[in-house]
Amino acid sequence: MKIQAEPFRKIGAASAAEIAARIDLSAEARAFLLPTLSPQGFLALLVEAQMMGDAIRFLAFALPAREAIWWACAVAHTTLPEQTELDRACIEHSASWVYGASEQMRRACFVRAEQAKFEGAAAYAALAVFWSGGSLAPEGMPDVVADPKLCPIGVGASVLLSITSGDPLGLALRFEQAMERGVIIANGGNGWLKDDRPLKLTNQAFVTPVIEAH
């Protein structure tokens, strides 16, 4: 795919180096990182070189938290081949937070991720929401502030797990489609491609989940 030359609407950083300073990129990716290179220019080089992990991590850190989490939701919703009920719950809760961020929904996303045993693309999308702000400590306990890197790390993990979950022969196509969705979101769009089935939220997504007794 071809990455645009003009700046992304939702990415405020003037240079790729400004974003990359916060990311654990591979040595191969950092070899492309010239001081004056733009975010879109660096992303184009990573995509062209098929550096999937680096490209996904870079875009996850480049996007604002809300847009990054929506990217994870859109990719998981359209890409995961077999979704469990918990997968769908994690995706719907994460998407609901994007539509109306609240402390209640942020903590509900953690509960869903916990119910999914913190495993898989959908659970990491929900964790990214929990890590997006607020305290990591249980309610009523002294605040524990999340490292700002945690949210984009969760997004990157979610997107990477989504695209690697299917037939290995289709990995290159899934990577390209994930990046296309990310670029659309970076330009202020909704991330859907032509043949996608958009995510529809149910009323269940707005209800705080109940932790079952063990």
Side-chain angles (χ1 to χ4, degrees):
M1 65 174 290
K2 183 175 175 60
I3 303 292
Q4 67 196 56
E6 62 271 17
F8 297 122
R9 287 180 53 201
K10 294 289 185 174
I11 296 177
S15 70
E18 181 181 340
I19 299 165
R22 300 180 287 130
I23 314 172
D24 183 19
L25 293 172
S26 70
E28 293 78 8
R30 290 200 174 276
F32 291 140
L33 197 60
L34 299 175
T36 57
L37 194 60
S38 67
Q40 64 274 15
F42 185 54
L43 185 63
L45 291 174
L46 296 177
V47 170
E48 184 177 355
Q50 288 288 295
M51 294 182 178
M52 298 184 186
D54 289 306
I56 288 169
R57 281 191 294 273
F58 181 76
L59 188 54
F61 272 84
L63 289 167
R66 179 175 174 272
E67 283 77 7
I69 290 167
W70 180 252
W71 180 38
C73 291
V75 174
H77 171 69
T78 56
T79 307
L80 288 177
E82 296 181 5
Q83 295 179 26
T84 66
E85 184 177 340
L86 276 174
D87 286 335
R88 290 190 293 271
C90 285
I91 294 168
E92 287 196 355
H93 272 70
S94 302
S96 295
W97 178 88
V98 171
Y99 273 91
S102 69
E103 178 65 6
Q104 180 188 30
M105 186 53 67
R106 185 183 73 87
R107 290 193 174 274
C109 284
F110 177 80
V111 174
R112 287 304 191 198
E114 184 177 43
Q115 290 172 339
K117 299 181 180 180
F118 307 114
E119 296 177 351
Y124 269 97
L127 276 175
V129 172
F130 182 64
W131 290 334
S132 66
S135 177
L136 302 186
E139 291 183 282
M141 299 293 290
D143 287 351
V144 176
V145 179
D147 186 323
K149 294 181 180 180
L150 283 176
C151 177
I153 285 173
V155 168
S158 177
V159 174
L160 193 58
L161 285 168
S162 286
I163 69 168
T164 55
S165 62
D167 182 351
L169 295 178
L171 176 58
L173 176 60
R174 292 193 297 274
F175 169 63
E176 181 175 332
Q177 290 175 335
M179 297 311 297
E180 285 181 14
R181 293 186 179 95
V183 167
I184 291 170
I185 292 167
N187 283 312
N190 58 22
W192 303 126
L193 302 183
K194 181 181 177 182
D195 297 324
D196 283 345
R197 175 176 52 85
L199 175 62
K200 293 183 179 180
L201 302 180
T202 67
N203 290 334
Q204 293 290 330
F206 296 91
V207 178
T208 302
V210 176
I211 302 176
E212 296 180 358
H214 296 287

